Amino acid sequence: MAGTPVRGLVQGIRRSKRKSVVAGSVAAVLIGAAVTVQVLVAQALIVESGGSCGSGGSRGVSHGACPEGIGWLFLISFVPLFGLVPLALWGVAAAGRKAGCLGGAVLMLAGIWPGALLFRLGHGDSLDVAWSVPRVKGDITAQGFWFGDGLAVRARIDGLSAYDTATGAPKWTLPVPGREVLCAMSRGTDSGVGVIAYGPEGQPCGHFVGVDLATGAKAWDRVLPGGEFLSSGRDAGSVAAGGGTAVMRLGQGARLTGVALADGRDRWTAAAPERCHYEKVSAGPDQIVGLLRCTDALPELVALEPASGKVAWRTPVTSESPVAAVDLYTASPAVAKVRESGARGRTMIQAFDRTGRATIVHTWSDDHDLTLSERGFGATPLRDFAVTGDMIVGATRVSNKDGLTAFRLSDGARLWLTRLDHGLEALTVAGDALIVLGDGGAVPDLTSVALATGKKTRLGGFPLRHLADKVALSAEPAGRYTLVAESTNPFYDALVGVRP
C-alpha cells in the first residue's frame, strides 16, 4: 500500500515531463518558423530597400518604402520569442540535454517550411530580374516600341533594335539610313509586320518601310511621289497597320492611302472631302478609322474597309457645342475622347459600333473619372488605359490613391472600381486580365486585375532599384514580362525582363 503514493508521484512526474517535452517541441518548431521569417525579412529589407526603410525618426528623413508586410511579419516573429525560448529550454531540460538538444535542433529545422510559407503569405511572391539591356553610352530617347512573337522592339530616331524577351539577346537592328530620322510608326503590328516612316530632319517625311517583326528585314520600301508627305516630327496617329493593310495619312491629312501590308502594293486612296482633312488614323483587324475635321462642322469618324477603302460609315461625334476637340484612340471598336468647347463643356468617352451608332460611355463628373492620358514615346505614346472587347478600363483616383475603373462600351455601365496599392506606371492586357506595373512600394511590382470583376492579385515585386518614369510593359503567356524604357537617364536600363 505504501508504494501506491510513490508510484502516483512517479507517474505524475512522468506526465509532467511528457507535457514539458510536447510544449518544448511545439515551441522549437515555432522558433524555427519565427527565425526563418526574421531572416527573410532581413533579406527583403536589404534587397528591396537597401537595408533601411520608413522614416528616419525625429529628423524626419525618409529612407523609402518598406517591403510589403515587413512590419507585422517582424512583430509576429520577434515578440513571441520571449515566451517560446524559455518554453523550448524547459522541454530540453525535461527530455535530457543530449536528446533535448538534438530533438530541438531537428524540430527547429522543421519550422523552416511553415516560416517560409508565412513570409510568402505576408510579403507576397517575389519576381526576378532575369535580364537587362543597359543604356548605351550616348543613347537617344526612344520614340516607340513594338511587342510580339517573343520580341521587344525599341525604336529611336536613328533606327530599330529588337531583343529576345526570353533572354534579352539582341535579335536584329534596322538603322534609319544616313542622317534621316524616324518620324512615325504604327502603334502595333499586324500579321507580323509593322510600318515606320522616316525622312530628313525638319523636312516632310515620305519614306515608308514595312518591317518584318521576326527578322527585321524590309517587307517593302516605298518613297511617295512629291507632295504626298507626312508632317515632320514624331507624329502619332499618322501611320497604322491592321486588317492586312498599312494606311498612311498623307498631304497634311488631305488623303488616306492604304497599301498591302505584306508587299506594299497600292490598294486604295480615300481623299478627304473639300474643306476637310484627316487629323488621325487608327487601324484594327476589321476596319480603318480616320478622324475627319471639316470647316464649320463637328469632327467625324469615318470607317473604311481595310481591303478596299470603301466607306462603311461616317458619323459626327456627339457634342452640344459647335466646336469639339477629339482624340481618336482605337478602331476596333472605334473609341474616342470628345471635349466640348466652353467653360461648361463636357468631356466624354464615345464609342461607335459596327454601324457607326455612337454611345456616350462616360461623361466626366469628378466621380472616379478616367484620366485617359498619353505620355512619352512620341510615335507610340504610352496609355494609362486599354480598350478590349466591349470594355474600356483605365486609371482613376480612388480615396486619393491610384486605381482602375472599367466601363462597358455598348451601354456605358460602370463595371467595377478597384484601388491599386502601389500606383500605376504602365499597364497591358494579357488574356482575361490587366497586368499593372506599380512603383509605390519598396521595389516595383506587378499586379493582375481580372477584367471581368476588377479583383486584383499581386504577382510580386522585383529588385530593380531605378525604374524609368516612362516605361512600356508587355506580358506573355509563359509568364514573361518585359519593360522598355523611353528615358536616356544613365540610371535606367533600356530594357528589363522579369520572371516568376
Side-chain angles (χ1 to χ4, degrees), residues 33-34 37 40 72-73 76-77 112-124:
V37 170
L40 294 174
W72 72 266
L73 283 170
I76 66 171
S77 63
I112 292 176
W113 183 82
L117 179 61
L118 177 61
F119 176 82
R120 182 178 178 183
L121 290 174
H123 176 267

Side-chain angles (χ1 to χ4, degrees), residues 23 26-35 37-38 71-88 118:
V26 173
V29 173
L30 294 176
I31 289 171
V35 171
V37 170
Q38 289 186 30
W72 72 266
L73 283 170
F74 178 77
L75 285 176
I76 66 171
S77 63
F78 180 74
V79 174
L81 289 177
F82 290 100
L84 292 174
V85 171
L87 194 60
L118 177 61

Side-chain angles (χ1 to χ4, degrees), residues 141-146 153-157 159-161 182 185 377:
T141 300
Q143 297 298 325
F145 58 89
W146 289 330
V153 179
R154 187 171 185 259
R156 312 187 321 179
I157 60 172
L160 281 63
S161 299
L182 181 82
M185 65 186 294
F377 292 98

